[in-house]
């Protein structure tokens, strides 16, 4: 039996995977356990949805263009090889915590309009299974089915033979309570689903070093959109997980059958830091001395402020940058082996894990699998044994 009172904790746990060395924030946004983690609404939007990039440490800004490019860098879709494709990825979530009914699904597809432009659509769906809403005496009031989803449309265009631009629009819905009334300390709060609209923009450049070597660079800004509100009180809103991703790739085609790529990404949340209290001391930010001021920060202003508002100054700002790197090996464009590593500073979440993955290609069918290995010293790490399974069907242009 699960209670609605822990639903929000599970959401945060599921999306940030709380390999955060014990890091969390409470309902008022105050810091707990001596960490200064930046919380957002619907952080599931940042979780790797596919089994390709997740096998390489969650890199994707400049990885090879594929069906899943809309999540990592929408501009890459202009260079995708096929004419059309569709794929589905399934991720059972938090199985190491013995949670058996939380799952993440990602359905995506693309269609090449002409040699310079491609359109795509994607659906991210996250379910928390069944949760019992109970009163303060522990009596079940109702069973709810929390879920979140995001639907996006993307258009990518080649500006030159090496450079492309991508743009996406996204509808977001986060329904954690099914409209239930939450009771706590004698107070009753009416809730509702939170809806929002967001946009992504990306740039991608790929070039050749020589006949056997090439490289790529990518930049992607995602989830810039209206704040999420779960209550009638409009002052209590959550920023979307707006994110800046910059990355690069180097590929060496060793011979006719063997190819290897090395990739690296850097991520930065475009979300302002909350003021918080620790050990009776209030830590103010450059732009907000209390939560009332923080809640009044606009989305665009908050994105710019996020580069210079950490209470610890420049050193703390640098801690907010997440790093990931990966390697991918292909044999005869049929079998792929992948490995990677993801690093997040312990004061900003503490997620640190290695990943491995494989890929198989046969005709129009493509299968990918990834596996996550946490490296933080936590006895029961919720990240452990996380797998992703992906199946793709892709129609390639006829060879002449």
């Amino acid at each position: 039996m699960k209670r609605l009172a822990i639903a929000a904790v599970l959401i945060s746990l599921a999306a940030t995977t709380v390999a955060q060395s014990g890091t969390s924030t409470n309902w008022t946004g105050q810091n707990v356990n001596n960490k200064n983690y930046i919380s957002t609404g619907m952080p599931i939007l940042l979780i790797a949805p596919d089994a390709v990039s997740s096998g390489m440490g969650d890199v994707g800004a400049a990885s090879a263009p594929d069906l899943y490019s809309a999540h990592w860098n929408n501009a890459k879709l202009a260079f995708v090889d096929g004419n059309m494709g569709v794929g589905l990825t399934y991720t059972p979530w938090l199985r190491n915590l013995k949670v058996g009914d939380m799952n993440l699904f990602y359905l995506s597809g693309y269609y090449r309009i002409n040699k310079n432009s491609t359109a795509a659509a994607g659906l991210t769906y996250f379910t928390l299974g069944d949760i019992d809403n109970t009163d303060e005496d522990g009596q079940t009031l109702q069973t709810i089915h929390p879920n979140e989803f995001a639907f996006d449309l993307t258009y990518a265009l080649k500006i030159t033979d090496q450079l492309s631009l991508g743009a996406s629009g996204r509808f977001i819905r986060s329904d954690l309570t099914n409209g239930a009334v939450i009771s706590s300390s004698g107070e009753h709060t009416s809730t509702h689903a939170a809806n929002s609209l967001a946009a992504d923009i990306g740039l991608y450049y790929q070039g050749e070093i020589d006949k056997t070597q090439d490289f790529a660079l990518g930049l992607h800004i995602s989830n810039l959109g209206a704040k999420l509100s779960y209550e009638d009180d409009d002052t209590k809103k959550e920023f979307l997980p707006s994110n800046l991703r910059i990355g690069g790739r180097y590929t060496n085609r060793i011979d006719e059958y063997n190819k290897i790529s090395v990739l690296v990404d850097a991520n930065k949340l475009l979300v302002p830091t909350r003021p918080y209290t620790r050990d009776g001391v209030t830590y103010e930010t450059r732009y907000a001395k209390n939560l009332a001021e923080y809640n009044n920060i606009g989305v665009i202003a908050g994105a710019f402020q996020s580069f210079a508002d950490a209470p610890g100054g420049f050193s703390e700002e640098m801690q907010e940058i997440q790093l990931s790197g990966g390697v991918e090996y292909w044999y005869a464009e049929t079998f792929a082996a992948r490995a990677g590593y993801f690093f997040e500073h312990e004061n900003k979440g503490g997620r640190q894990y290695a990943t491995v993955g494989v890929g198989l290609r046969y005709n129009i069918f493509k299968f990918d699998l990834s596996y996550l290995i946490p490296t933080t010293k936590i006895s029961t790490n919720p990240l452990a044994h996380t797998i992703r399974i992906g199946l793709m069907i892709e129609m390639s242009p006829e060879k002449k």
Side-chain angles (χ1 to χ4, degrees):
M1 298 289 285
K2 294 174 285 184
R3 298 186 179 184
L4 181 59
I6 66 171
V9 176
L10 283 174
I11 286 287
S12 178
L13 183 67
T16 63
T17 51
V18 187
Q20 301 162 346
S21 303
T23 305
S24 62
T25 52
N26 63 21
W27 279 102
T28 65
Q30 294 176 322
N31 181 273
V32 195
N33 296 333
N34 296 331
K35 309 297 182 182
N36 192 16
Y37 166 66
I38 298 177
S39 64
T40 70
M42 205 167 171
I44 199 71
L45 290 173
L46 292 182
I47 296 298
D50 67 283
V52 177
S53 290
S54 61
M56 299 183 288
D58 296 354
V59 295
S63 56
D66 62 14
L67 179 68
Y68 310 112
S69 293
H71 175 85
W72 301 101
N73 184 352
N74 48 23
K76 294 192 302 179
L77 281 163
F79 287 94
V80 72
D81 288 334
N83 285 331
M84 61 182 298
V86 62
L88 175 66
T89 301
Y90 165 64
T91 306
W93 206 242
L94 296 186
R95 292 301 190 262
N96 200 46
L97 294 185
K98 309 303 180 184
V99 179
D101 54 2
M102 296 176 66
N103 300 287
L104 174 65
F105 300 91
Y106 183 59
L107 177 65
S108 58
Y110 75 87
Y111 176 76
R112 175 166 292 285
I113 300 172
N114 53 49
K115 66 178 183 178
N116 292 322
S117 60
T118 304
L123 175 66
T124 301
Y125 180 75
F126 178 59
T127 174
L128 278 86
D130 297 332
I131 293 180
D132 290 336
N133 179 20
T134 63
D135 59 24
E136 294 182 351
D137 295 324
Q139 299 299 314
T140 300
L141 300 176
Q142 66 187 106
T143 298
I144 64 171
H145 313 281
N147 64 86
E148 298 181 312
F149 75 86
F151 176 74
D152 53 75
L153 295 173
T154 296
Y155 177 76
L157 175 68
K158 285 185 183 179
I159 300 175
T160 69
D161 289 339
Q162 291 80 36
L163 180 67
S164 62
L165 174 69
S168 301
R170 179 171 296 109
F171 172 73
I172 296 165
R173 182 175 177 83
S174 177
D175 189 358
L176 304 184
T177 62
N178 296 170
V181 176
I182 298 178
S183 299
S184 178
S185 302
E187 296 184 1
H188 305 281
T189 302
S190 297
T191 65
H192 55 75
N195 299 314
S196 181
L197 296 174
D200 301 355
I201 187 169
L203 283 171
Y204 176 71
Y205 180 88
Q206 64 178 32
E208 289 187 353
I209 299 174
D210 55 36
K211 292 183 178 180
T212 62
Q213 302 177 87
D214 57 65
F215 71 97
L217 301 171
L219 180 150
H220 193 232
I221 297 175
S222 61
N223 302 315
L224 276 176
K227 298 179 185 179
L228 295 171
S229 175
Y230 297 92
E231 302 177 18
D232 293 334
D233 186 352
D234 288 338
T235 64
K236 297 180 180 180
K237 292 184 177 182
E238 296 287 339
F239 280 92
L240 289 175
S242 303
N243 184 72
L244 169 64
R245 182 189 306 277
I246 299 174
R249 169 177 56 86
Y250 165 77
T251 298
N252 188 338
R253 293 179 293 280
I254 301 170
D255 54 36
E256 182 181 357
Y257 296 100
N258 299 281
K259 179 176 70 173
I260 190 168
S261 297
V262 180
L263 309 95
V264 63
D265 271 11
N267 287 273
K268 170 73 169 68
L269 274 174
L270 302 180
V271 178
T273 302
R274 291 175 183 262
Y276 65 94
T277 300
R278 185 175 70 208
D279 300 328
V281 178
T282 299
Y283 289 77
E284 303 174 350
T285 72
R286 179 178 176 184
Y287 299 98
K289 296 182 178 181
N290 53 55
L291 287 176
E293 291 184 3
Y294 177 84
N295 290 331
N296 287 328
I297 297 175
V299 173
I300 301 301
F304 284 103
Q305 293 174 14
S306 68
F307 290 95
D309 65 352
F314 178 76
S315 61
E316 186 176 342
E317 291 292 347
M318 295 301 294
Q319 293 176 3
E320 295 179 2
I321 298 175
Q322 304 164 356
L323 300 175
S324 56
V327 178
E328 181 180 50
Y329 165 78
W330 274 100
Y331 177 76
E333 297 295 339
T334 301
F335 171 78
R338 307 180 179 104
Y341 193 82
F342 179 93
F343 174 84
E344 181 179 58
H345 195 278
E346 61 179 8
N347 291 336
K348 297 297 178 178
R351 289 174 297 164
Q352 297 169 25
Y353 49 83
T355 66
V356 292
V358 295
L360 296 174
R361 304 290 185 264
Y362 178 74
N363 202 348
I364 64 174
F365 299 100
K366 303 182 178 183
F367 172 81
D368 296 287
L369 174 70
S370 69
Y371 184 77
L372 189 149
I373 308 164
T375 59
T376 50
K377 298 178 180 179
I378 302 176
S379 57
T380 304
N381 197 314
L383 284 171
H385 312 306
T386 299
I387 64 170
R388 291 176 176 84
I389 303 169
L391 179 63
M392 183 193 316
I393 300 174
E394 189 170 39
M395 305 296 295
S396 298
E398 295 182 3
K399 296 181 180 181
K400 297 182 179 180

